[in-house]
Amino acid sequence: MGLRKRVPRLRLYGSDLVRSLSVVLAENLEDLLRKVDDGSGEFEKGFLHTSTSPDHKPSYYHHMWARDVGRGIQELARYGFVEDAQSVVDYCLNHINSGDHWGRVVNFNANEDYEIDGNTHILLGIYRTWLAAGRDKELGKRYVSGCMAVFHWFKRMLDEAPYELLPCLSELSGNPTVQYLVYAVFPTYGAMVSARAFAQMAEECGMQKESAFLKGLEKRIAEGLKKHLISGRS
């Protein structure tokens, strides 16, 4: 996979450390672009390798970790690599591998629950890709339709949760090696922001039923977060 596009350059002024960050950004973007597979080899188009090379140790070249994928899609869209972002989004929509949501590793049939962070990162990446693509209505309808099952999964878990927070085993929400669930603020907040973003996309694309559901979900999550963040309830 060769580098196919010219990478944006950001020039920062200040100390030597600040100026060096201009180079760091360009190198990071080049690395990210190399991770997007063009489909010419053993991997499908849009596969986003977690590692750039299979030769480094340890290497996750054959893995597509959900959290990294979501952040990668967002960066691609933000810096104007819309076609690359869309190819990764299409891969994700075609590989919802845990029934109605993504597992921790997108390309494995993991049947994992509670990878909230990875799901919210991917959802926000999809939303940002839609924005970068010009808020196209047909594209938005496809994205909303392809992701509604994930939001219904959020709602189902809220219905079953003893708290107004989503359960998670993710590294960003608790210790992933323990066997008990963590009801955490961070992934729940991500779910709220994702619901808000998709409600906007659905509304702009004329999907009123989906928009109403997503607005209701966002409101419900926000009320739960307020109880834990403001009242101090535990």
Side-chain angles (χ1 to χ4, degrees):
M1 295 178 298
L3 188 61
R4 302 184 301 280
K5 294 182 174 64
R6 187 183 294 267
V7 176
R9 301 290 175 176
L10 177 66
R11 179 172 294 179
L12 303 176
Y13 296 92
S15 66
D16 290 342
L17 175 60
V18 171
R19 288 195 298 271
S20 69
L21 293 179
S22 303
V23 178
V24 172
L25 173 63
E27 291 182 348
N28 283 343
L29 286 174
E30 290 175 358
D31 180 73
L32 175 60
L33 284 168
R34 291 190 181 99
K35 290 176 178 177
V36 181
D37 207 287
D38 60 10
S40 62
E42 63 175 300
F43 296 93
E44 293 180 43
K45 182 178 180 180
F47 187 97
L48 184 60
H49 301 267
T50 298
S51 296
T52 310
S53 168
D55 300 323
H56 298 157
K57 302 298 181 184
S59 174
Y60 299 94
Y61 183 78
H62 293 80
H63 294 184
M64 211 172 153
W65 285 70
R67 292 184 297 274
D68 299 309
V69 170
R71 288 190 293 264
I73 297 172
Q74 292 179 55
E75 290 181 25
L76 289 167
R78 281 173 174 156
Y79 286 103
F81 302 108
V82 180
E83 291 182 5
D84 292 278
Q86 288 178 321
S87 71
V88 181
V89 169
D90 288 344
Y91 183 98
C92 290
L93 292 178
N94 290 328
H95 294 81
I96 296 181
N97 63 338
S98 290
D100 50 7
H101 60 282
W102 294 281
R104 185 169 295 179
V105 183
V106 174
N107 62 305
F108 291 163
N109 293 321
N111 293 320
E112 293 175 344
D113 281 325
Y114 314 121
E115 175 56 36
I116 309 299
D117 296 317
N119 279 263
T120 59
H121 287 12
I122 292 175
L123 290 170
L124 290 172
I126 292 172
Y127 168 73
R128 189 157 293 279
T129 299
W130 174 71
L131 293 179
R135 303 168 107 106
D136 180 80
K137 288 187 177 181
E138 292 306 313
L139 184 67
K141 288 178 181 178
R142 183 161 67 85
Y143 285 175
V144 172
S145 297
C147 295
M148 285 303 298
V150 181
F151 290 104
H152 282 284
W153 174 56
F154 290 163
K155 179 183 180 299
R156 187 173 73 250
M157 287 193 294
L158 284 173
D159 291 342
E160 298 170 354
Y163 309 100
E164 298 87 350
L165 300 173
L166 290 169
C168 194
L169 289 176
S170 170
E171 294 172 8
L172 293 181
S173 309
N175 188 342
T177 63
V178 300
Q179 298 304 312
Y180 57 83
L181 293 176
V182 176
Y183 292 87
V185 166
F186 181 89
T188 304
Y189 178 80
M192 181 192 73
V193 175
S194 300
R196 179 187 304 161
F198 269 72
Q200 177 201 355
M201 179 161 40
E203 186 170 31
E204 289 192 25
C205 296
M207 305 176 75
Q208 300 306 321
K209 179 181 178 181
E210 291 82 356
S211 178
F213 171 83
L214 291 162
K215 287 179 180 179
L217 181 62
E218 178 204 350
K219 181 179 179 181
R220 178 180 178 183
I221 296 174
E223 290 173 350
L225 286 170
K226 288 176 183 177
K227 290 181 182 179
H228 293 275
L229 289 175
I230 298 175
S231 70
R233 179 180 173 185
S234 61

